[in-house]
Amino acid sequence: MLERFDGIQPHHLLGLSVRTMVTEPVFVGVADGHPAVRDGMIDLADLAGCEWVLPPPHENAARIRFLDACESAGFTPKVRHYTSDAVTARAMVEAGCVCMAAPSFRSSGGVSAFPLRGDPLRAEVLFAMRANDTLDPTDRFFHCAALAYRAGVAANPHFQRWWDEHPQEHAELDAAITTGANTDP
């Protein structure tokens, strides 16, 4: 599975057959008890005074979308720390920073991930395989990838709630699971 980087459309991935699995929200990781959390959600504007920890700029595919979303919320983020290491990022969040997080992030160690009200940050999760691969039909592979992705939704109860409230966002993935379940291996 792939995440689409800013400025790269699926047709630019030469030699690959690409299909969108789901467009998921980007969540925010915060320390448990963070004052910005209300009703299991966070308004991005409420994080204006926070220090952010993000992946290094050369690794951050969502950087442009993140900066645009913050600007639309009325602030420029205070990005004080960069790390690619999840353990380091978690420690910084425990100490009061905030970070972008995958919606399937498992809460533990005093850190949880919550959706942003209005889903201002989203990421396309893509399924890709070689265009000339004839080992198995793409739909069977897509079905397996969809099952694996869907299994991670329950890892975060806030993602499960978002999932239940936004069925249109994962209709193709759900259809692949249902169709694949009716197909003989």
Side-chain angles (χ1 to χ4, degrees):
M1 290 186 271
L2 305 167
E3 180 181 334
R4 184 183 65 78
F5 294 157
D6 291 326
I8 297 176
Q9 298 301 318
H11 66 275
H12 291 134
L13 301 172
L14 298 177
L16 294 178
S17 171
V18 179
R19 187 171 170 188
T20 300
M21 289 187 60
V22 64
T23 300
E24 67 183 14
V26 174
F27 279 25
V28 176
V30 297
D32 290 348
H34 195 285
V37 179
R38 288 191 303 278
D39 302 322
M41 299 187 86
I42 296 176
D43 284 315
L44 184 57
D46 290 343
L47 301 175
C50 295
E51 290 188 358
W52 287 81
V53 57
L54 297 174
H58 66 279
E59 295 179 16
N60 191 349
R63 183 176 175 78
I64 294 169
R65 291 190 311 261
F66 169 72
L67 294 173
D68 287 347
C70 291
E71 183 180 321
S72 292
F75 72 98
T76 299
K78 297 175 189 173
V79 181
R80 300 285 192 240
H81 311 282
Y82 294 102
T83 184
S84 297
D85 181 67
V87 174
T88 301
R90 179 181 289 277
M92 293 174 141
V93 171
E94 287 175 12
C97 291
V98 296
C99 69
M100 292 187 298
S104 58
F105 176 91
R106 290 183 189 272
S107 298
S108 67
V111 176
S112 298
F114 294 91
L116 291 165
R117 197 171 312 280
D119 299 330
L121 290 166
R122 301 163 71 76
E124 284 182 319
V125 177
L126 305 174
F127 170 81
M129 64 181 284
R130 291 186 314 228
N132 63 351
D133 198 340
T134 58
L135 297 175
D136 216 356
T138 300
D139 287 340
R140 187 169 297 166
F141 284 127
F142 189 79
H143 170 74
C144 291
L147 286 172
Y149 182 92
R150 182 60 180 96
V153 171
N156 181 341
H158 305 292
F159 188 28
Q160 182 67 61
R161 185 184 74 204
W162 181 92
W163 189 269
D164 294 343
E165 292 174 355
H166 296 85
Q168 71 283 1
E169 299 294 344
H170 49 85
E172 186 172 359
L173 187 135
D174 292 341
I177 290 172
T178 302
T179 303
N182 298 324
T183 305
D184 292 329

